[in-house]
Amino acid sequence: MTKGCPLNSTIVLTYYIYVQAFQYYKVGYTAAMSWILFIIIFMIAMIQWKDQKKWQDQF
C-alpha cells in the first residue's frame, strides 16, 4: 500500500523480491531470495505440522 515509504521502512520481503525482479531485472538474485523464503516457510509449516499431532491427541 505504501510501496515501502518512508525510506523503505514498511517494505516486506515479498514486495522487495517483486521490485528487484521486475524493476531492476535481477532474476538470479530474486530466485535465490525466493528459495530462501520458501525454505523458511517450509520449515515453519513442518514445525506446525509436527506440533499439530500433539494437539490432536489432547482432544
Side-chain angles (χ1 to χ4, degrees):
M1 290 173 41
T2 64
K3 296 185 180 179
C5 293
L7 299 173
N8 291 331
S9 63
T10 61
I11 197 166
V12 292
L13 183 59
T14 52
Y15 181 70
Y16 181 73
I17 290 171
Y18 174 80
V19 168
Q20 293 298 313
F22 296 108
Q23 273 188 334
Y24 301 116
Y25 304 110
K26 296 181 179 180
V27 179
Y29 178 62
T30 56
M33 288 193 323
S34 297
W35 271 107
I36 291 171
L37 179 62
F38 170 76
I39 291 169
I40 292 169
I41 292 172
F42 184 77
M43 290 172 55
I44 292 170
M46 288 296 107
I47 291 169
Q48 288 182 339
W49 183 62
K50 288 185 179 191
D51 286 344
Q52 179 184 6
K53 291 180 183 179
K54 295 175 188 173
W55 300 331
Q56 287 179 348
D57 293 338
Q58 292 176 357
F59 296 108

